[in-house]
């Protein structure tokens, strides 16, 4: 491997820039080859289509830009109040490193799983076709629930309506009305963006660096304290599903109505509530183009053949990579399966995740 000589601090700026670019050349080659290898190894069903790739890019740009904007808006006044006007101007004009930040964020498996589920759930929701209602004069499901007299149902229904209105990602990758992230993912994002803003400030004095560190940390902590994950789409859907189940108004019929109204998050939450699985487990099954896991879950909650067919047709119509022929082959077999037997196939998955992981760890040590 060739070694690029150290040109020293007295070298012209262009020479130092050239050195950095040369040193990064090997990194870029390694990254490109890793990407090529991953693409070649990937199964056709696992490759991102252009629409999904574009949605990932827009979401990442919007999340980073939204959090960066919030941190800058809080940090700049603190710096000015502390007599660091020049530093505040630097922070206000620097753009940061979106591509590098995206790479770092996507390397986190917890965050990646959340973003992957969110992107694919939103795309599938967008592609769903609303069912024709038996009574065209009757309000659709969510507004009807939001107008209930029971506050335990109306409250989460209204929160879900508001969350849906905030969920749209601007086509230009602009700022979001809300990040709509879990507390853990928001926590990781905020600190990554704060660190990137510190790095983007460039060469500053030690005193300026200390002032900037303190201001960024204070802004990040305020952002974390203000974040309320309970107002997000998925948490509000989960609370609404639990309220409906408590009032004995959940079940298969409401789940079918939810997917017919393009309320995929509520459909997932209702299935999770009825089967004892968590939201992410059911979402993974819904997004899996081989719907075997989903059929078992739906049959476990007692869904009959006609309702199974409506759900299956809705998913096939929304995703061209799903097969109507496979649905037809599966439908009779699933409809004939005893609900108790269907539930038994994923009984272990209803146990708490930490308990399952602890048992697996013990098994690995034997």
């Amino acid at each position: 491997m060739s070694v690029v000589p150290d040109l020293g601090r007295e070298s012209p700026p262009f020479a130092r820039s050239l050195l950095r670019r040369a040193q990064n050349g090997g990194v870029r080659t390694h990254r490109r080859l890793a990407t090529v290898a991953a693409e070649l190894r990937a199964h056709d069903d696992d490759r991102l289509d252009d629409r999904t790739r574009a949605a990932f890019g827009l979401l990442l740009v919007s999340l980073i830009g939204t959090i960066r904007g919030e941190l800058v808006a809080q940090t700049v006044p603190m710096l000015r109040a502390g007599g660091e006007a020049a530093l505040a101007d630097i922070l206000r004009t620097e753009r940061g490193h979106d591509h590098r930040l995206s790479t770092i964020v996507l390397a986190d498996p917890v965050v990646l799983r959340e973003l992957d589920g969110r992107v694919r759930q939103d795309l599938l929701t967008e592609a769903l076709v609303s069912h024709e209602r038996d009574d065209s004069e009757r309000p659709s499901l969510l507004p009807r629930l939001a107008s209930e007299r029971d506050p335990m149902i109306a409250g989460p229904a209204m929160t879900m309506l508001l969350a849906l209105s905030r969920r749209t990602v601007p086509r230009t990758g602009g700022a979001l009305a809300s990040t709509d992230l879990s507390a853990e993912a928001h926590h990781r994002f905020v600190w990554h963006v704060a660190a990137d803003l510190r790095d983007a400030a460039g060469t500053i004095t030690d005193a300026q660096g200390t002032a900037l560190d303190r201001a960024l940390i204070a802004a990040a902590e305020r952002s974390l304290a203000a974040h309320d994950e309970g107002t997000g789409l998925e948490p509000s859907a989960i609370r609404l599903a639990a309220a409906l189940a408590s009032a004995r108004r959940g079940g298969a019929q409401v789940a079918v109505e939810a997917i017919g109204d393009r309320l995929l998050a509520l459909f997932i939450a209702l299935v999770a509530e009825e089967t004892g699985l968590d939201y992410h487990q059911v979402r993974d099954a819904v997004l899996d183009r081989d719907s075997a896991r989903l059929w078992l879950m739906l049959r476990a909650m007692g869904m009959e053949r006609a309702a199974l067919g409506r759900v299956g047709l809705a998913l096939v119509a929304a995703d061209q990579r799903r097969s109507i022929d496979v649905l037809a082959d599966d439908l009779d077999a699933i409809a004939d399966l005893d609900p108790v037997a269907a539930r038994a196939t994923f009984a272990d998955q209803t146990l708490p995740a930490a308990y399952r992981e602890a048992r697996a760890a013990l098994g690995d040590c034997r």
Side-chain angles (χ1 to χ4, degrees):
M1 181 180 72
S2 61
V3 178
V4 180
D6 184 357
L7 301 181
R9 293 193 175 186
E10 301 304 320
S11 304
F14 176 75
R16 293 199 298 273
S17 173
L18 191 65
L19 170 61
R20 285 194 297 271
R21 287 163 51 196
Q23 290 171 328
N24 289 334
V27 175
R28 288 193 300 273
T29 299
H30 177 75
R31 185 174 62 219
R32 183 182 62 79
L33 291 175
T35 301
V36 170
E39 283 290 323
L40 291 174
R41 288 196 303 268
H43 189 279
D44 286 345
D45 289 342
D46 297 328
R47 288 194 173 92
L48 294 183
D49 56 62
D50 291 341
R51 185 163 168 257
T52 305
R53 189 183 297 275
F56 253 110
L58 282 174
L59 178 59
L60 280 168
V61 169
S62 292
L63 285 170
I64 291 169
T66 300
I67 294 172
R68 181 186 289 134
E70 292 174 357
L71 294 184
V72 169
Q74 294 189 49
T75 303
V76 166
M78 285 189 276
L79 290 173
R80 291 192 186 283
E84 295 288 354
L87 189 55
D89 289 339
I90 291 174
L91 190 67
R92 189 169 52 82
T93 56
E94 283 294 338
R95 287 187 50 80
H97 311 88
D98 285 5
H99 180 72
R100 185 177 66 182
L101 262 177
S102 297
T103 301
I104 292 170
V105 166
L106 292 178
D108 184 327
V110 174
V111 176
L112 178 59
R113 183 180 182 188
E114 177 165 338
L115 295 186
D116 176 65
R118 172 170 168 175
V119 166
R120 295 196 296 134
Q121 175 184 306
D122 288 353
L123 288 175
L124 185 57
T125 300
E126 185 181 322
L128 286 171
V129 178
S130 296
H131 289 167
E132 291 186 11
R133 309 184 66 79
D134 295 334
D135 182 356
S136 59
E137 300 298 322
R138 190 185 190 198
S140 56
L141 178 62
L142 197 54
R144 196 168 74 241
L145 294 175
S147 64
E148 290 267 343
R149 291 184 178 182
D150 183 352
M152 298 301 292
I153 292 176
M158 181 58 70
T159 303
M160 186 175 173
L161 271 173
L162 294 173
L164 281 168
S165 70
R166 295 192 300 263
R167 184 70 165 226
T168 303
V169 177
R171 296 296 182 186
T172 57
L176 300 166
S178 170
T179 62
D180 209 7
L181 293 169
S182 68
E184 183 177 8
H186 184 77
H187 181 277
R188 294 170 188 257
F189 259 102
V190 165
W191 288 117
H192 280 309
V193 174
D196 183 63
L197 284 170
R198 175 63 173 85
D199 185 68
T203 304
I204 55 179
T205 67
D206 290 344
Q208 286 178 316
T210 299
L212 181 54
D213 285 336
R214 289 174 177 169
L216 284 170
I217 289 169
E221 289 175 342
R222 287 182 186 178
S223 176
L224 296 177
H227 183 67
D228 181 5
E229 68 175 342
T231 61
L233 177 59
E234 288 79 8
S236 60
I238 291 169
R239 286 200 306 277
L240 179 55
L244 290 170
S246 179
R248 299 185 182 277
R249 293 175 54 187
Q253 183 177 347
V254 181
V256 172
E257 188 175 2
I259 203 168
D261 281 352
R262 302 174 66 236
L263 299 171
L264 189 60
L266 181 57
F267 171 81
I268 293 169
L270 286 163
V271 176
E273 179 67 31
E274 291 291 326
T275 58
L277 295 162
D278 68 36
Y279 185 94
H280 296 93
Q281 289 171 313
V282 178
R283 179 167 67 182
D284 287 346
V286 170
L287 296 176
D288 187 356
R289 292 188 174 98
D290 180 350
S291 302
R293 286 183 295 167
L294 176 60
W295 302 141
L296 290 171
M297 294 173 188
L298 297 182
R299 191 66 188 120
M301 62 189 288
M303 191 172 285
E304 299 294 341
R305 190 184 191 285
L308 288 166
R310 291 185 69 181
V311 173
L313 286 173
L315 294 175
V316 168
D319 185 351
Q320 296 179 353
R321 296 174 72 176
R322 298 176 190 250
S323 170
I324 188 69
D325 295 328
V326 172
L327 171 63
D329 291 341
D330 288 346
L331 201 54
D332 287 333
I334 293 298
D336 288 340
L337 186 63
D338 180 68
V340 175
R343 185 176 292 271
T345 62
F346 55 80
D348 284 351
Q349 297 302 305
T350 63
L351 302 173
Y355 179 65
R356 287 186 279 114
E357 291 168 4
R359 288 186 60 190
L362 284 174
D364 291 341
C365 291
R366 288 175 184 168

